[in-house]
């Protein structure tokens, strides 16, 4: 199953408390909470390029399944992490105590991030 495509954010849960826990400033949280972000994913075998555009902010990450990569987090911090594939439709990584799971089901991508007992979930649909 290929992740390649463009996806528009449809819904998100716990955005504000999760971004606060990551240390984002309040003004950025307020600006970002109502913007419909667009995620563009290009998958070439085990290599992925992910571009997330939220208003004027563009976050780009490139990684290869099973290899250490430098990833930009939501707060702009760059960290090293290894992304693993579970089955043929789930990307999983652990970054600084946070677990990130991206699951593709048909035209829907569900991205769930868990930090302690706080879970942030976003659902995007292929456009």
């Amino acid at each position: 199953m290929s992740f390649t495509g463009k996806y528009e954010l449809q819904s998100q849960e716990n955005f504000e408390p999760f971004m606060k826990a990551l240390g984002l400033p309040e003004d950025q949280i307020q600006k970002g909470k109502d913007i419909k972000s667009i995620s563009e994913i290009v998958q070439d075998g085990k290599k992925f390029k992910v571009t997330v555009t939220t208003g004027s902010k563009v976050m780009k990450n490139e990684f290869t399944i099973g290899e250490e990569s430098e990833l930009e987090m939501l707060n702009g911090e760059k960290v090293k992490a290894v992304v693993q594939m579970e089955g043929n439709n789930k990307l999983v990584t652990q970054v600084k105590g946070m677990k990130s799971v991206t699951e593709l089901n048909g035209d829907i991508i569900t991205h769930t991030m868990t930090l302690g007992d706080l879970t942030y979930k976003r659902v995007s649909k292929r456009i």
Side-chain angles (χ1 to χ4, degrees), residues 94-106:
Q94 295 267 357
V95 181
K96 294 187 76 171
M98 178 177 73
K99 182 175 185 181
S100 169
V101 179
T102 304
E103 188 170 3
L104 176 65
N105 286 308

Side-chain angles (χ1 to χ4, degrees), residues 13-27:
E13 297 167 17
N14 283 335
F15 176 79
E16 289 185 64
F18 195 85
M19 295 305 138
K20 278 185 184 144
L22 284 180
L24 253 70
E26 187 66 34
D27 62 323

Side-chain angles (χ1 to χ4, degrees), residues 9 16 23 41 43 53-55 58 61-62 75-76 78 80 84 89 97 109 111-112 114 119:
L9 181 66
E16 289 185 64
I41 302 174
Q43 179 184 357
T53 306
T54 308
V58 178
N61 282 313
E62 291 187 30
N75 60 4
K78 292 194 183 326
K80 293 204 180 301
Q84 301 290 356
N89 70 329
I109 281 189
H111 187 191
T112 307
T114 308
T119 299

Side-chain angles (χ1 to χ4, degrees), residues 14-80:
N14 283 335
F15 176 79
E16 289 185 64
F18 195 85
M19 295 305 138
K20 278 185 184 144
L22 284 180
L24 253 70
E26 187 66 34
D27 62 323
Q28 278 187 12
I29 293 171
Q30 293 308 317
K31 274 197 291 198
K33 70 177 183 172
D34 296 320
I35 297 174
K36 291 284 188 212
S37 67
I38 303 286
S39 301
E40 186 171 2
I41 302 174
V42 177
Q43 179 184 357
D44 180 11
K46 290 184 163 195
K47 290 186 187 324
F48 283 79
K49 285 183 185 174
V50 180
T51 306
V52 180
T53 306
T54 308
S56 61
K57 181 169 172 23
V58 178
M59 189 172 79
K60 291 183 179 188
N61 282 313
E62 291 187 30
F63 58 89
T64 301
I65 299 298
E67 293 180 15
E68 187 176 72
S69 308
E70 186 176 75
L71 301 175
E72 184 180 346
M73 295 186 42
L74 295 168
N75 60 4
E77 183 181 353
K78 292 194 183 326
V79 294
K80 293 204 180 301

